[in-house]
Amino acid sequence: MSGVDPMVAGIRDDLAAALGQPDLTLASAARLTAGASRLTWMLETTSGTGKTEQFVLQRERVRGASMGRVALEAALLRTAGAGGVPVPEVVVADPEGECIDGGYVVTRRIDGETIARRILRDDEYATARSGFAAQAGRILAAIHALPTTDLPLPAAADPLALAEVMLDEAYDARPALEVGLRWLREHRPPSGPTTLVHGDFRLGNLIVGPDGIRAVLDWEIAHLGDPMEDLGWIASPAWRFRGPQPVGGMGAREAMWAAYEEAGGRHVDPDTARWWEICSTVRWGAMCLKQAHAHLSGAVSSVELALIGRRAAQCEHDLFAAVFPGDDPPAAPAAPPPDLYGRPSAAELVAAVREQLQSGDGSFRTRVAANALATVERELTAGGEPERLHRERLRSLGFADDAELAAAVRSGAAPLDENLLAAVRADVTQRIAVYEPGYGR
C-alpha cells in the first residue's frame, strides 16, 4: 500500500466489508486538509476486478473527542440525501474508529470544485455562478424542511451567547466584536420557527460543477435553530471571497430569498436577514479567535489555525462598514530605518523567507506559512507607533487595556458614543492594514 498514509491504513478492512469487496486494495490515501477538529483524506481503492473508486475519509483529530458528532453527521447525510438535498453517499461510519484511532465517516467522492477562487473566476463555472443564489435558496429550503425527530441534534442555542462564550474561551479581548454583540442584542428581531440548520452553508463546504451545486458538505455543526441563520451565513462578507455579489460572492440576496420562498421556505424579512448577516460576521470573528486559541494553548500545532486568529480583523472591518461606517484614520507613520541591528532588518529577513516559500512547491501548507510571514513582515514594518497610538486611544477613553474596554462594552457601562466608536474603528483599521492591506476596497 505505497502512497497510503499510515494514520488511515487500517480503514481497508472496514471499507472492504461495507463495499462487499473482500479483495479490495487501498491503493492510496492522501491527506487533503487539517481542520480544527477533523482530518480529511482522499482514498483510492482497487477491487479484485481492477475497478478503481475514490472516497473521502473524515476522521476526528483525537479519538473520542467528538464521537456523538460523527454518528450524527452520518445520520444527517443519510437523512438529507433521502430528503432531496445533494450530499455525498455515506459508505461506512464508525463513531469509535478503533481501526484508525479516531471516529470517522467515509463517503463516495463527488467530482467538482470546492475552492472558492476557482468557482468565482474560471470560465467553466459561469453557468453555475449565474444560478448559484437561486440554487442555494432551493437547497436551503430543502434542508430546513428535513425531519429532525430521529436526529439527536443539539437544542437551539442563543447565537449571541455562543459568540460570547467563544470570545471568553479565546482569551483575546476584542472591543470591536463586543460592540457588534451589543448592537445585535439591541436590534434583535423576533425569533422564527425552529428547524434543522446546517450552520456552515458556504463556498468551501459546497462541491460545485459547471452545472451548479452538486453536494453540501461538512454537517459537523448542524443544529436546531432559526433557518434565517443559514441565509445570513452564506451572504455574510466572510464567504464572498471578494466576489462582487453578497451570496457567495456571485448572487443577489433577493434571488436567493425568492427561490427559498418558492421552494417552501418561510417568508424572508430583509431586516431580519440583515441582522443574521451581521450576526454571522461577529460569530465568525469569535470563531477565528477560538481556532487560534487551539494553537496557542498547545492543543493543536497549526500555522493555519494561528493565522486564522488574525482573520478576525476582516470581521471587525466588515462589522463597522455595515453598522458603524466612518472615515478611516490616516495610516500610521512608517517605522524608522534599522540602526542598532543594521540590515537586513527583521522585516527584510522575514520577507526573504516568505519569498523562498512562495517560490517553493505551492502546497497549501507552504502558502499558509508564506501568508503568515507576510503578516509578520507588515507588523514589523509598521514598528511600535501603532501600538503607542492604540494605548493613547485607550487612555483617552479611561481604560488600561482592551480587556477593560471589552468588559465595559459587554456590560453596558461604556456608551457606544462617537469617541468610543472612533477609537475602536482606528484599531480595526490598523489590524486589517497588517493582516490584509486594501481589504474591503
Side-chain angles (χ1 to χ4, degrees):
M1 291 191 292
S2 60
V4 176
D5 188 328
M7 288 181 70
V8 298
I11 198 76
R12 193 219 74 94
D13 290 349
D14 283 6
L15 190 55
L19 294 170
Q21 299 176 13
D23 52 359
L24 183 82
T25 299
L26 186 57
S28 66
R31 176 86 70 87
L32 298 180
T33 61
S37 60
R38 296 286 182 89
L39 303 174
T40 305
W41 287 264
M42 178 71 71
L43 309 179
E44 185 168 293
T45 66
T46 304
S47 69
T49 61
K51 179 183 177 182
T52 298
E53 294 184 277
Q54 291 183 322
F55 305 89
V56 175
L57 163 67
Q58 284 200 308
R59 198 208 80 177
E60 59 184 347
R61 275 186 174 272
V62 179
R63 186 180 177 192
S66 55
M67 189 180 298
R69 296 301 306 184
V70 171
L72 174 58
E73 188 163 2
L76 280 165
L77 286 170
R78 291 176 173 127
T79 299
V85 178
V87 291
E89 176 192 350
V90 176
V91 178
V92 60
D94 183 355
E96 295 187 5
E98 185 176 351
C99 65
I100 56 172
D101 199 31
Y104 69 84
V105 177
V106 176
T107 58
R108 289 190 182 276
R109 179 183 180 273
I110 295 177
D111 188 43
E113 185 58 76
T114 59
I115 298 175
R117 68 178 183 274
R118 295 177 183 168
I119 297 167
L120 288 165
R121 177 198 65 199
D122 292 358
D123 290 343
E124 65 180 297
Y125 301 108
T127 298
R129 288 193 292 271
S130 67
F132 180 83
Q135 191 180 10
R138 290 190 293 271
I139 291 172
L140 285 172
I143 290 174
H144 299 158
L146 292 174
T148 59
T149 306
D150 297 327
L151 296 172
L153 289 159
D158 180 356
L160 305 187
L162 288 175
E164 284 188 357
V165 169
M166 284 189 286
L167 284 172
D168 292 342
E169 291 178 345
Y171 300 98
D172 188 355
R174 298 303 276 263
L177 297 179
E178 295 290 351
V179 166
L181 283 170
R182 175 106 154 251
W183 183 91
L184 288 164
R185 285 193 294 268
E186 293 173 355
H187 295 82
R188 189 167 199 156
S191 298
T194 297
T195 69
L196 170 64
V197 172
H198 180 276
D200 203 10
F201 187 92
R202 60 171 176 85
L203 288 183
N205 289 340
L206 303 172
I207 296 178
V208 177
D211 52 339
I213 301 170
R214 292 179 174 176
V216 182
L217 308 177
D218 291 350
W219 295 71
E220 186 178 347
I221 60 173
H223 57 276
L224 295 173
D226 189 318
M228 292 299 103
E229 179 182 336
D230 279 335
L231 275 73
W233 191 255
I234 182 62
S236 63
W239 311 123
R240 297 173 193 171
F241 299 94
R242 294 206 172 195
Q245 295 290 327
V247 181
M250 56 187 136
R253 297 178 182 90
E254 293 77 9
M256 177 174 66
W257 299 342
Y260 180 77
E261 292 178 7
E262 253 181 56
R266 63 179 268 207
H267 170 68
V268 181
D269 172 68
D271 290 337
T272 299
R274 176 175 182 264
W275 187 92
W276 278 104
E277 277 188 33
I278 295 166
C279 181
S280 298
T281 293
V282 173
R283 288 181 62 208
W284 175 236
M287 291 168 73
C288 288
L289 298 174
K290 181 72 183 298
Q291 290 189 60
H293 181 68
H295 167 80
L296 295 169
S297 68
V300 179
S301 179
S302 167
V303 176
E304 180 187 0
L305 294 183
L307 187 60
I308 283 174
R310 290 298 186 97
R311 191 175 175 184
Q314 292 180 338
C315 302
E316 295 171 330
H317 178 278
D318 294 335
L319 166 68
F320 271 74
V323 184
F324 307 105
D327 295 332
D328 288 340
D339 189 28
L340 174 62
Y341 299 107
R343 298 186 65 186
S345 67
E348 288 168 332
L349 284 171
V350 168
V353 178
R354 171 183 55 77
E355 289 165 2
Q356 182 168 316
L357 286 171
Q358 288 175 331
S359 64
D361 60 11
S363 67
F364 175 75
R365 291 182 178 182
T366 300
R367 294 198 309 272
V368 169
N371 289 339
L373 287 176
T375 299
V376 175
E377 180 186 347
R378 287 188 289 269
E379 184 171 326
L380 289 171
T381 300
E385 183 65 3
E387 182 67 29
R388 186 191 69 78
L389 294 172
H390 165 65
R391 295 291 175 181
E392 189 176 285
R393 287 189 289 269
L394 283 169
R395 283 194 298 271
S396 72
L397 296 173
F399 299 99
D401 53 29
D402 273 345
E404 278 192 11
L405 175 54
V409 171
R410 182 181 294 189
S411 70
L416 300 187
D417 58 21
E418 184 177 339
N419 290 334
L420 185 146
L421 292 175
V424 176
R425 184 185 297 111
D427 287 348
V428 169
T429 299
Q430 179 58 39
R431 279 196 288 274
I432 197 66
V434 165
Y435 176 71
E436 189 173 357
Y439 179 79
R441 297 177 184 173

